[in-house]
Amino acid sequence: MTVQYCLHNGLAAAPELAENRGLAYGDGVFETLLVIDGKPLWSTEHLRRMAQAAAKLGLHCDEQLIGAEVEAVSRRSQGRGVLKIQLFRAAGGRGYHGASGASERLLSLWPAPVSAVWRNGAKVILCTTRLSENYQLAGIKHLNRLEQVLAAREIQRAGADEGLMLDTSGALIEGGRSNLFAVRDGILLTPSLLKSGVRGIMREKIIAAAADLSQPVKVCTLFPSHIVSADELFLCNSVFGIWPVTSVGCVHKEIGPVSRQLQASFESSFHV
Amino acid sequence: MTVQYCLHNGLAAAPELAENRGLAYGDGVFETLLVIDGKPLWSTEHLRRMAQAAAKLGLHCDEQLIGAEVEAVSRRSQGRGVLKIQLFRAAGGRGYHGASGASERLLSLWPAPVSAVWRNGAKVILCTTRLSENYQLAGIKHLNRLEQVLAAREIQRAGADEGLMLDTSGALIEGGRSNLFAVRDGILLTPSLLKSGVRGIMREKIIAAAADLSQPVKVCTLFPSHIVSADELFLCNSVFGIWPVTSVGCVHKEIGPVSRQLQASFESSFHV
């Protein structure tokens, strides 16, 4: 099945965009890496996660080839940058089926955001947009991100730094573009991502760093009540590192010692 | 935020694809229309649904402009064709937020599939891929379609014509690319789409046609047990019309009088 004619914003166009299965269905995965002085941070971990996610979608992912491209694109970055890798199913006919495992890859380099939140803490809202639950897609960073787009509109409207999201059952899962940690009675807690959410590389780095610091960690089910009862809350991702939370809606939180200690472990990569 | 460098399949590329929010997040909606002898079928209904879906995403949709483009592209079709309209958020920076309501539109013309299923009936499987539940996104035909992609792989592997999908709670919602109807004790039943699924134009046409035929219809919650207990089952969409179901896995079904009577109402558009 081939495109017979294509009109893009009123102009006759080549068929490529209409044949793009990433655009048509979100049929693909992505990664976002921090680049520091021409070097990608944790590219092995990001590429491994991408390969695992691609395997779940039956999508070819050549870790070695993409790794070489990541190195090449990173070298073009000066100072701090963000490298995004998109891997989506190669052009195919119209319709959900009929697709092979062949993939296209798109690497793009962006300026790194600058923020004072690392030091001053994040003002966060509780989003009304919920994360749906799907065991097959949970944990992977796929291109179906409408829930995050809707949450981002709420966050922007509220003038907040980030928003917390619940799944449809009411469990607290993650931030709109970050993973969540809470500290309670000396234990570091982070939501289980078996039913929804993205298993962040930074989340894994923090769990490993906590182990090095002999800080007990528990992956568990968190609820909105934990926002009030937690001694500390912080958010994390691979681009901004660790953001201590100073408020969730009208609930004020203090930046605590566990958040600051973990920040110290990653100071050299994220705090500039 | 602008793209500093872009590499597509190993070659330096223009930034457009990396800036495409439809590709990045599935941030958009689509419609698929049948075109018969240069004329789109039910374009008013499709455009109204697209505008309603776009409004839910805060996405600009000029029904009149797109309507004119639909007419123009349809005129290029000979015999029977399929016209796909994709409406996605205009290029923006990296990150979920920061997006305006500005949209891009992409119309493409494809050959219409030919099938004997209208007459002979569809062999259907029950997919293991589930539909997730989200009140905000339910009913709309958005670009986040990974669940349908995974279902399509199951259907293809089984050599089936279509697959039935349950939501995460176990309710029967729809086919991978179609809506579902069951007939039981003389009543036409179709699943509620409040939590997941796509509100199909053909589904609405069938509900209206049933009313004209004094055929009682009930929108309700269906479960897999209805597959066995139903007197008739059929699937529908705007491209293939009505497909009577002759089997779901190892459960055999007869093509019944209600399915055939409703097919007769739409014979002129779909049966060639």
Side-chain angles (χ1 to χ4, degrees), chain A residues 31-77:
Chain A
E31 292 290 327
T32 314
L33 291 75
L34 188 63
V35 181
I36 307 168
D37 297 326
K39 289 192 174 23
L41 185 65
W42 303 325
S43 61
T44 307
E45 290 85 339
H46 281 281
L47 288 168
R48 187 157 313 145
R49 180 175 67 163
M50 173 167 259
Q52 286 165 352
K56 287 202 185 186
L57 303 184
L59 201 61
H60 180 69
C61 177
D62 185 334
E63 275 181 79
Q64 215 174 344
L65 174 68
I66 301 175
E69 293 183 352
V70 164
E71 296 293 330
V73 173
S74 294
R75 277 194 295 272
R76 293 176 171 267
S77 172

Side-chain angles (χ1 to χ4, degrees), chain B residues 121-158:
Chain B
K123 291 191 191 312
V124 170
I125 60 162
L126 185 60
C127 295
T128 61
T129 304
R130 298 288 182 105
L131 292 166
S132 57
E133 300 168 35
N134 184 310
Y135 285 97
Q136 276 177 282
L137 297 174
I140 75 174
K141 205 168 164 79
H142 53 67
L143 297 175
N144 279 196
R145 300 255 77 97
L146 266 177
E147 291 164 354
Q148 283 74 19
V149 168
L150 292 174
R153 297 180 73 208
E154 292 188 61
I155 295 163
Q156 201 163 20
R157 223 176 289 133

Side-chain angles (χ1 to χ4, degrees), chain B:
Chain B
M1 289 229 299
T2 48
V3 178
Q4 296 168 330
Y5 184 74
C6 187
L7 199 71
H8 183 200
N9 295 333
L11 300 170
E16 278 78 11
L17 205 54
E19 288 170 344
N20 187 315
R21 292 184 63 97
L23 173 60
Y25 308 125
D27 191 358
V29 294
F30 75 110
E31 293 290 328
T32 315
L33 292 75
L34 187 63
V35 181
I36 308 169
D37 297 327
K39 291 192 174 23
L41 185 65
W42 303 326
S43 61
T44 308
E45 290 87 338
H46 280 283
L47 288 168
R48 187 156 312 142
R49 179 175 68 164
M50 173 166 259
Q52 286 164 352
K56 289 203 184 184
L57 303 185
L59 200 59
H60 180 68
C61 177
D62 186 334
E63 274 182 78
Q64 216 173 344
L65 173 67
I66 301 174
E69 292 182 351
V70 165
E71 296 294 328
V73 173
S74 294
R75 277 195 295 272
R76 292 178 172 267
S77 172
Q78 291 183 322
R80 303 169 69 79
V82 173
L83 174 62
K84 182 165 178 171
I85 317 170
Q86 287 161 280
L87 186 80
F88 48 93
R89 205 176 304 273
R94 194 192 57 77
Y96 299 120
H97 60 290
S100 73
S103 60
E104 295 191 40
R105 51 200 195 283
L106 182 67
L107 284 76
S108 53
L109 192 63
W110 302 76
V114 177
S115 142
V117 179
W118 172 284
R119 186 192 308 262
N120 301 340
K123 291 191 191 312
V124 170
I125 60 162
L126 185 60
C127 295
T128 61
T129 304
R130 298 288 182 105
L131 292 166
S132 57
E133 300 168 35
N134 184 310
Y135 285 97
Q136 276 177 282
L137 297 174
I140 75 174
K141 205 168 164 79
H142 53 67
L143 297 175
N144 279 196
R145 300 255 77 97
L146 266 177
E147 291 164 354
Q148 283 74 19
V149 168
L150 292 174
R153 297 180 73 208
E154 292 188 61
I155 295 163
Q156 201 163 20
R157 223 176 289 133
D161 297 305
E162 180 50 319
L164 297 179
M165 298 184 75
L166 310 178
D167 67 13
T168 44
S169 78
L172 194 54
I173 301 296
E174 61 187 8
R177 62 183 196 282
S178 57
N179 285 123
L180 172 69
F181 283 87
V183 181
R184 194 172 155 184
D185 300 331
I187 300 175
L188 192 58
L189 308 172
T190 193
S192 160
L193 305 176
L194 281 177
K195 294 193 295 179
S196 47
V198 175
R199 245 191 326 277
I201 298 296
M202 190 64 202
R203 175 177 178 269
E204 288 177 14
K205 292 287 172 187
I206 286 169
I207 290 171
D212 289 344
L213 296 167
S214 304
Q215 163 66 54
V217 186
K218 214 168 111 186
V219 176
C220 57
T221 305
L222 291 183
F223 290 102
S225 58
H226 284 89
I227 294 170
V228 177
S229 64
D231 302 313
E232 303 177 33
L233 288 175
F234 64 87
L235 298 162
C236 68
N237 76 20
S238 298
V239 169
F240 66 58
I242 294 173
W243 275 1
V245 173
T246 52
S247 65
V248 182
C250 56
V251 179
H252 180 76
K253 307 301 295 183
E254 295 292 333
I255 301 179
V258 178
S259 306
R260 287 303 192 202
Q261 193 179 20
L262 284 163
Q263 279 189 317
S265 305
F266 297 97
E267 180 103 22
S268 60
S269 300
F270 294 104
H271 193 212
V272 285

